[in-house]
Amino acid sequence: MKLKVKKGATVQVITGSDKGKKGSVLAVDAKNMKVKVQGVKVQTHYDKKDGLLKKEGFIDYSNVKLVEAAAKEKKTSKKATKSKSA
């Protein structure tokens, strides 16, 4: 199934403990239909090298609402235009 939310889009959480929070999408797992949103479902992770870290966890795709789509990068093709001789 194709997801409407892409990396970089702004979404709002509509259910759960983080209801009402807005943030940008950091990662999308299309296979499991999960998204990682900045500042939502922050988990503590211990790393031997760096110690305690706070990272965002994945939340279900159905628990977010698209607020603003990710800006598309405009591709400019540098094709040589043929000039007609008159």
Side-chain angles (χ1 to χ4, degrees):
M1 180 178 194
K2 185 176 178 184
L3 304 180
K4 294 180 181 180
V5 175
K6 296 190 182 336
K7 185 177 177 181
T10 304
V11 295
Q12 181 178 9
V13 180
I14 56 174
T15 60
S17 61
D18 292 318
K19 181 178 180 178
K21 289 187 179 179
K22 291 182 183 178
S24 62
V25 176
L26 301 174
V28 177
D29 184 4
K31 182 180 176 188
N32 296 323
M33 294 185 69
K34 304 266 184 184
V35 292
K36 192 180 283 192
V37 182
Q38 184 178 11
V40 176
K41 195 177 178 185
V42 177
Q43 300 171 330
T44 306
H45 173 76
Y46 179 76
D47 188 31
K48 285 186 178 181
K49 186 189 290 185
D50 299 326
L52 289 175
L53 301 173
K54 295 201 178 224
K55 293 184 174 181
E56 289 86 358
F58 280 98
I59 61 172
D60 199 63
Y61 170 73
S62 65
N63 294 341
V64 296
K65 176 177 72 171
L66 183 64
V67 174
E68 186 177 325
K72 291 184 179 179
E73 294 181 16
K74 293 184 179 178
K75 294 182 181 179
T76 56
S77 60
K78 295 182 180 180
K79 291 183 179 178
T81 57
K82 294 181 181 178
S83 60
K84 294 182 180 179
S85 300

